[in-house]
Amino acid sequence: DSGVTQTPKHLITATGQRVTLRCSPRSGDLSVYWYQQSLDQGLQFLIQYYNGEERAKGNILERFSAQQFPDLHSELNLSSLELGDSALYFCASSVGLSSGSYEQYFGPGTRLTVT
Amino acid sequence: DAKTTQPNSMESNEEEPVHLPCNHSTISGTDYIHWYRQLPSQGPEYVIHGLTSNVNNRMASLAIAEDRKSSTLILHRATLRDAAVYYCILSDIQGAQKLVFGQGTRLTINP
């Protein structure tokens, strides 16, 4: 158990809909990351937040948005869903941002199926 | 993002050591070398990381070449539970901490 929790575990929805994925980081971790894993694209970094502020953006579509709340939990919002958005979405957390390198702890993921 | 090259797959036997290679010839002086693994149906799991010196932890050892253009993850005594996809990733010490995953090496452990 990494200490990172994600809800829901599974989500099935229709094209055009909007969903929200939730992540609670490990206690004390200030950075949250979102990754998408699909069969054709592999694991891809989407976005990072540090203590409530957006820190880095990766291959995140404009239809997707995220935020980190004062209690440090994060939500990933996916809208106007397409079949190609079906994937595993992982949240990870790490201690911090300052110089050095920190291991990331991944949650169990949310499996999104768009029909 | 600096690129890493790993074999697509490797096979080993239970209770034997495993050496997983990674080439990163374009590594910069501020890049850390990370290893993560992903067991079936799970999220990625941190294994080890290092900058210049060899590193050991309870899971594995990381051997870094003197010129830092390659590294090797060493599992000293593989178990069936070590069957996973292993990713070698470079992450800039000064930049964002994002992980850029490649295809990784799929490790199969034979009983």
Side-chain angles (χ1 to χ4, degrees):
Chain A
D1 183 358
S2 66
V4 178
T5 59
Q6 290 187 247
T7 56
K9 194 169 183 177
H10 300 279
L11 199 48
I12 302 174
T13 188
T15 54
Q17 295 298 304
R18 173 189 168 94
V19 297
T20 296
L21 313 183
R22 184 187 167 104
C23 168
S24 293
R26 291 189 324 155
S27 176
D29 284 357
L30 298 178
S31 273
V32 168
Y33 312 76
W34 286 96
Y35 294 85
Q36 178 194 58
Q37 185 170 34
S38 60
L39 281 174
D40 53 344
Q41 297 287 335
L43 261 164
Q44 288 201 304
F45 167 75
L46 295 179
I47 197 163
Q48 177 199 1
Y49 278 81
Y50 173 75
N51 204 20
E53 300 290 325
E54 183 184 301
R55 176 65 179 90
K57 248 182 177 176
N59 299 322
I60 188 166
L61 300 171
E62 283 190 17
R63 299 183 286 108
F64 296 1
S65 64
Q67 53 184 326
Q68 186 181 25
F69 294 86
D71 67 352
L72 301 178
H73 91 271
S74 177
E75 292 181 356
L76 179 67
N77 301 295
L78 316 176
S79 61
S80 303
L81 285 167
E82 302 175 359
L83 294 178
D85 297 327
S86 295
L88 266 169
Y89 291 84
F90 290 106
C91 168
S93 73
S94 71
V95 170
L97 181 67
S98 56
S99 66
S101 190
Y102 304 99
E103 50 265 40
Q104 293 184 22
Y105 294 88
F106 284 75
T110 293
R111 181 173 294 281
L112 173 67
T113 303
V114 182
T115 61
Chain B
D1 300 310
K3 187 175 167 54
T4 63
T5 304
Q6 300 177 251
N8 288 334
S9 62
M10 289 184 65
E11 204 168 319
S12 185
N13 298 319
E14 201 175 7
E15 299 186 6
E16 290 184 358
V18 180
H19 290 235
L20 295 162
C22 181
N23 287 318
H24 27 79
S25 58
T26 59
I27 191 170
S28 75
T30 54
D31 282 334
Y32 270 87
I33 303 159
H34 295 254
W35 284 82
Y36 283 75
R37 70 181 185 181
Q38 188 172 21
L39 279 65
S41 304
Q42 294 189 27
E45 175 186 32
Y46 167 79
V47 177
I48 201 166
H49 77 279
L51 186 61
T52 55
S53 304
N54 294 344
V55 184
N56 300 297
N57 66 20
R58 64 174 180 81
M59 287 182 72
S61 295
L62 175 60
I64 301 173
E66 201 168 324
D67 63 4
R68 301 211 321 130
K69 293 186 176 181
S70 66
S71 61
T72 302
L73 178 71
I74 303 165
L75 307 178
H76 294 286
R77 199 163 163 266
T79 69
L80 295 178
R81 196 197 171 275
D82 292 320
V85 179
Y86 286 78
Y87 298 97
C88 170
I89 302 166
L90 302 183
S91 178
D92 190 343
I93 186 177
Q94 296 175 342
Q97 303 288 315
K98 65 178 183 180
L99 298 174
V100 179
F101 289 83
Q103 295 305 306
T105 296
R106 182 172 296 278
L107 176 65
T108 301
I109 304 295
N110 300 315

